[in-house]
Amino acid sequence: MNRWNVTGLIIVGFITVIAIFGPLLAPFDLEHHVTPGFVTDGAGEQQYVAPPLPPDRTYWFGTDVFGYDILTLMMHGAKYTLAAAFIVALFRVVVGAGLGMIWGYYRKGKQRARTEGNLLSGIPMFVVVLFMMYGLSINSTLSPLTLTVLLGVVLVLLGLPAIISSTANKTRQIQEQQYVLASVALGAGDMRTLRYHILPQMKESLLILFLHELILTLTVFGQLGIFHIFVGGTLMQRDPVLFTSLTHEWAGMVGNAKGAIGPRDWIFLYPMLGYVTLIFGFFCVSKGMEQSFRNRYHKVSQL
C-alpha cells in the first residue's frame, strides 16, 4: 500500500466515522442556536451578542447567520453528502458496466459504439440537472429523502451513457484476446465468457471508475450548490433572500455560504475545507489504486 492509498484511506475513513457517528458526537443538538440578546461576560459587564458568531471556545467553527453551530451542522450533514455520492456512483458503475458489457459483447458495430452515449457530451451535466431539479428543490413539499432520491436518479441516468459506451469498448478489446477466442471456440457460452473471462479482466478498471464517479458526483453537488440546488432540498427565505440546505450536506453549506466570503468567512471556510478534503481523500485513493495496479502488471525486460 503506497502513500497515496494511506493518505486517502485515512481521510475517507475519518469522514466516514463522522458521517456515521456525527450526530452522537456533535457538541450541540441540531436545533440549538444563538439568539440575539445581552450576555454577561467574566467581568460582570453586559454585551449585546447577535449571530453570526466567530469561532471561539464554545463554537469552534463559529455560527451561521441564523445562530446555528457550524460544526454541529457539518457533523449532521456529512452522512447526506457521503451517502448520496456513494449511492449515485455505485448505481452508475453497476448498471452502466453491466449494460456496457452486454452491449459490447453482442454488438458488433465498433464505430457506432464510439459515438453512442455522447448526445449530451457538449452540455455540462450540472446544467441539465439544474433545469430538471430547480422547480422541485426550492421550497418543495416533497421530503428531503424523496428529493435526494430524485436527484440521484437524474444523476445516474445522465451518467449511464458514457459508462456504457466506455465499458462496451473495453469489453470488445477483451473479447478479441486469444484466450477468450479459444474459450469460445471450445464451446464456452456467452454468460460463462462474460462471467469468467471478461468481468475478471475489468474488476480493477471498474474500481477506478467507481472512485472517479464518486469525485465527479461530489463535484456536481458543488456546482449545483452554487445555484442553490442542494441535496435533500432547499429552503428559500425572502426579505432578505436566504437559502438553506434542509439536510446541511456539505456542498449545500458551501453554496449557501458563498456570499459570506469576507468579514464572516468562517461560515464559508469550514464547510469548504471539509468538502474539498473529502474530494481530495477519494482522489488520493484513486491515484494510489492506479499506481498499485500499474506496478503489479509492470513487466521488466529480461536480459
Side-chain angles (χ1 to χ4, degrees):
M1 187 175 293
N2 55 42
R3 291 178 296 177
W4 287 104
N5 269 332
V6 173
T7 302
L9 290 174
I10 290 174
I11 293 174
V12 173
F14 177 73
I15 295 179
T16 301
V17 171
I18 293 177
I20 297 174
F21 301 104
L24 300 176
L25 301 175
F28 301 98
D29 293 333
L30 191 58
E31 299 301 323
H32 172 85
H33 64 283
V34 178
T35 56
F38 288 93
V39 297
T40 304
D41 59 18
E45 298 181 356
Q46 286 193 329
Q47 294 182 343
Y48 182 75
V49 175
L53 301 181
D56 57 21
R57 293 182 179 180
T58 303
Y59 303 102
W60 291 2
F61 288 3
T63 72
D64 62 11
V65 294
F66 300 105
Y68 291 96
D69 177 51
I70 293 176
L71 177 59
T72 298
L73 296 181
M74 290 184 64
M75 296 185 80
H76 279 268
K79 59 181 179 288
Y80 293 98
T81 303
L82 194 59
F86 183 90
I87 293 173
V88 168
L90 182 64
F91 270 86
R92 276 185 176 181
V93 173
V94 171
V95 177
L99 294 176
M101 283 191 292
I102 295 173
W103 182 264
Y105 186 84
Y106 289 104
R107 191 79 172 180
K108 303 302 181 183
K110 297 181 180 179
Q111 183 63 34
R112 185 175 181 178
R114 294 191 187 98
T115 59
E116 287 174 347
N118 295 320
L119 296 177
L120 297 176
S121 59
I123 306 176
M125 183 180 298
F126 86 93
V127 175
V128 180
V129 181
L130 177 65
F131 280 100
M132 295 181 70
M133 295 298 299
Y134 193 86
L136 290 174
S137 293
I138 298 180
N139 290 342
S140 176
T141 57
L142 301 176
S143 67
L145 178 60
T146 302
L147 290 172
T148 302
V149 171
L150 288 175
L151 176 61
V153 170
V154 170
L155 289 174
V156 169
L157 293 177
L158 291 177
L160 284 181
I163 295 178
I164 292 173
S165 179
S166 62
T167 306
N169 289 332
K170 181 69 174 178
T171 300
R172 287 194 181 87
Q173 295 175 8
I174 299 173
Q175 194 176 3
E176 294 171 357
Q177 298 296 317
Q178 292 298 321
Y179 74 94
V180 178
L181 295 175
S183 177
V184 173
L186 291 173
D190 294 338
M191 294 306 299
R192 182 177 180 82
T193 302
L194 285 167
R195 181 177 179 182
Y196 292 103
H197 296 296
I198 294 179
L199 180 59
Q201 294 295 319
M202 300 187 67
K203 288 191 298 185
E204 293 158 353
S205 298
L206 293 179
L207 179 57
I208 298 297
L209 178 62
F210 171 69
L211 293 170
H212 288 174
E213 289 298 316
L214 267 172
I215 296 171
L216 175 62
T217 303
L218 288 169
T219 303
V220 172
F221 286 169
Q223 293 170 335
L224 292 173
I226 296 175
F227 296 92
H228 309 297
I229 303 300
F230 306 143
V231 176
T234 305
L235 177 64
M236 183 178 70
Q237 173 184 306
R238 303 183 184 275
D239 195 27
V241 176
L242 294 173
F243 296 89
T244 306
S245 170
L246 294 176
T247 59
H248 312 295
E249 56 91 15
W250 292 2
M253 292 183 68
V254 172
N256 181 46
K258 66 181 185 295
I261 301 176
R264 302 175 295 178
D265 54 3
W266 68 86
I267 302 176
F268 171 83
L269 177 62
Y270 290 108
M272 185 66 180
L273 183 61
Y275 175 68
V276 171
T277 301
L278 178 59
I279 295 178
F280 179 71
F282 284 122
F283 169 78
C284 289
V285 175
S286 174
K287 189 172 182 63
M289 290 290 185
E290 290 176 353
Q291 288 186 354
S292 298
F293 295 151
R294 191 182 306 117
N295 294 336
R296 181 184 304 175
Y297 297 108
H298 177 68
K299 295 182 179 179
V300 180
S301 300
Q302 300 295 324
L303 298 177

